[in-house]
Amino acid sequence: MHPTLFAAKTPHKPAVIMAGSGETVTYGELDARSNRLAQLFRAEGLKVGDHIAFLLENSPRYYEICWAAQRAGLYYTAISTRLTPGEVAYIVADSGSRIFITSLAMAETAAEVAPLLGPGVKRFVLGGALDGYRSLEQALARQPSTPIVDQIAGGQMLYSSGTTGRPKGVKRVLSGEAFDAPPLAIQLFQVLYKFTADTIYLSPAPLYHAAPLVYSMTAHRFGGTVVVMEHFDPAWSLELIEKHRVTHSQWVPTMFVRMLKLPEDVRRKYDLSSHRMAIHAAAPCPVQIKRQMIEWWGPIIYEYYAGTEGNGMVFIGSEEWLKHPGTVGRPILGELKIVGEDGNEMPAGQPGTIYFANGPAFEYHNDPEKTAQAFNAKGWSTLGDVGYVDKDGYLFLTDRKAYMIISGGVNIYPQEAENLLITHPKVADVAVIGVPNEDFGEEVKAVVQPIDMKLAGPELAHELIAFCRASLADVKCPRSIDFEPELPRHPTGKLYKRLIRDRYWAGHASKII
C-alpha cells in the first residue's frame, strides 16, 4: 500500500489534480519525482533518521517531497505558510532539519528566513531563482529516477502549538519497516472511511495541517486520486465535487458555515451524488450547523476527535450522532478516561480532563518536560481538553484546560501572544483568550491592563495588534482588545483567566463552539 506500487500498475492514473491550475501528476510521475528527490537527499548526505522541513503553498510538489522523505527513512516537517520568518527559522532549527525547501511563491518570507538558518542547513527553492537558495529543479535534473538502494520507512514530525512558549514537534520512533509496509492506521481508513483505489479525495484546506496531509497521503496508499484546492471557496468546493465526482472530503466547521450561507440556488445547483463520505474534525461543530449539513448532504458526515499527537481517537457517523447530538463519538483507538483534579476517574456525566489509556506513544521533540506533563502517573496521555462521557460511553467536549483557541479549525495557544504583548512598554498585564465568533467558532481577544488607563482606547488597541503581528502570525494575534484597570490575579501571581473568559461566554451552554 504505497504509491510506488500503483506507479507500476496504473502509471497514467492521476495521483494529484490541482483544482485551480488543473496540473495533474500521475502515479508514474509521482514515483519518478519522489525517487529523484530521495536520490538528492542521499547525495546531500542525509541518512536514515535525519530531518527535512519545507514551506510551500498548496502544490503537487508537497507530495513529491513527502513521499521522497518517506521512502528515504527521513522525518519531514511541513511548516505553516502563515508563520513569520522567525517562527519558520525556529521550527527548522528545533527540528534539526538539514534541508529546507521553499518556493518562489514564498519568496518574501523565504528571503528573511535564509540568514536566520544555521550554516548546516542546505536551502532549496522551487519555481525560480532566489538569493541564498539553490534551484531544486536544477539539482533534481542531475539525479536518476530509480529508487535509492536503502529504501526504508520515514515519517512526519508535525508541530503542535505548545501551551507555554513555542510549538513543539510531535515525534514518534521510526518503525524500521520496509518503505512500502502498510502503517498500522491503514486499517482504520479501510474500515471507517472505506478508502479504495476508486477514492477521489477533495482536500480544501492547507496541506501543512496534519489531517489534510496525512489523509490525502493515505488516499495515495490506496491508489486514489487527490484533488487539492489552492484555497478554500464554498461555491467552488461544491463545483469541484460535481466536476471530479468526488467520493471523499475533509472539512472544518467554519467551511460548513460558509457553505450553508450560500444562496439556496447555489447550494442546490450542483450534483453531489458521488459524495459518499465527508469527514470533519479540528474544531467542535455547533449542533445546529451539523444538523443542517446532514439535512443537506445526507447521513454521509463523519466526525472524529484526535490530535497531532495520535494518542487516541474518537469517532462517530451521522446516524449515530443524530441520536446523541453534540457528541464527538466513542473511542476507536485508546481507552477514554475522564480524570478529576484529584487524579481519580470521574463517573458518567461528570466533567474532567480527557485522557487516553493504552494509546500509541509519542513525545514532544526537545521538550521532555512538556512530554512528561502530557502523561499522568498511570501512563495515560492527554491533549488538555475537558469533557465528560455519558452513560453510553459517548464523549462530549466542554472546555479546554489549557485555554487553547480553535479559530476556523486552527489551533492557537494564547501564551505566545501573551508573552509578546507583555513586553510592550504600555502593557502592565495581559490575558489572551478565545471568545465566541459565529463564523470561526472562536476568535482571539486580548484583555489588557495598561500602564495607565488614560491610554486605553482604539489607538492603543491598533498599536498592540500591529506590535503582535510584527512578530507572530496574524492568526495568533488578537483581532480585538479590551482594557481593564486590573486583571484578576491571586496574591501568588496566578491569573484567574477563567473569570475573564467566562464573561464572554455567558449564555453559552459550552465554552467551545
Side-chain angles (χ1 to χ4, degrees), residues 143-177:
Q143 301 299 326
S145 61
T146 53
I148 57 175
V149 296
D150 57 342
Q151 293 190 107
I152 191 170
Q156 75 270 10
M157 189 176 88
L158 304 180
Y159 272 66
S160 176
S161 293
T163 57
T164 56
R166 296 193 171 193
K168 293 298 177 183
V170 178
K171 189 174 185 179
R172 298 179 187 84
V173 177
L174 294 178
S175 68
E177 294 183 335

Side-chain angles (χ1 to χ4, degrees), residues 149-291:
V149 296
D150 57 342
Q151 293 190 107
I152 191 170
Q156 75 270 10
M157 189 176 88
L158 304 180
Y159 272 66
S160 176
S161 293
T163 57
T164 56
R166 296 193 171 193
K168 293 298 177 183
V170 178
K171 189 174 185 179
R172 298 179 187 84
V173 177
L174 294 178
S175 68
E177 294 183 335
F179 80 102
D180 56 354
L184 293 175
I186 208 76
Q187 291 182 339
L188 287 177
F189 285 84
Q190 283 181 310
V191 174
L192 299 180
Y193 303 128
K194 308 297 190 293
F195 274 32
T196 69
D198 295 326
T199 293
I200 301 174
Y201 180 90
L202 178 65
S203 186
L207 291 175
Y208 56 73
H209 286 305
L213 184 58
V214 172
Y215 275 61
S216 57
M217 289 182 69
T218 302
H220 286 156
R221 286 190 176 274
F222 287 89
T225 296
V226 178
V227 180
V228 179
M229 297 179 70
E230 287 86 347
H231 62 275
F232 172 72
D233 177 84
W236 190 30
S237 301
L238 302 176
E239 179 184 344
L240 291 170
I241 293 173
E242 177 183 85
K243 177 180 178 180
H244 294 285
R245 307 306 295 156
V246 166
T247 61
H248 293 66
S249 60
Q250 188 171 51
W251 316 85
V252 296
T254 299
M255 296 174 178
F256 287 164
V257 171
R258 291 185 61 186
M259 287 188 286
L260 286 168
K261 289 185 176 182
L262 290 170
E264 184 71 14
D265 61 328
V266 175
R267 287 175 50 193
R268 302 297 177 185
K269 178 180 178 181
Y270 300 101
D271 177 6
L272 309 182
S273 59
S274 65
H275 203 190
R276 300 197 302 267
M277 186 159 290
I279 305 159
H280 78 93
C285 187
V287 170
Q288 65 274 24
I289 296 299
K290 189 160 180 175
R291 283 191 189 278

Side-chain angles (χ1 to χ4, degrees), residues 288-309:
Q288 65 274 24
I289 296 299
K290 189 160 180 175
R291 283 191 189 278
Q292 291 178 61
M293 287 302 301
I294 294 172
E295 291 172 0
W296 178 16
W297 283 2
I300 68 166
I301 298 177
Y302 295 80
E303 180 174 6
Y304 70 89
Y305 164 75
T308 304
E309 290 79 355

Side-chain angles (χ1 to χ4, degrees), residues 374-391:
F375 292 83
N376 66 8
K378 297 178 181 178
W380 305 342
S381 62
T382 182
L383 303 176
D385 292 330
V386 174
Y388 67 91
V389 174
D390 69 10
K391 61 182 178 61

Side-chain angles (χ1 to χ4, degrees), residues 71-94:
R71 69 195 309 158
L74 305 178
Y75 286 103
Y76 53 93
T77 296
I79 301 177
S80 168
T81 58
R82 302 187 70 173
L83 298 185
T84 65
E87 292 170 313
V88 172
Y90 161 76
I91 289 178
V92 175
D94 184 74

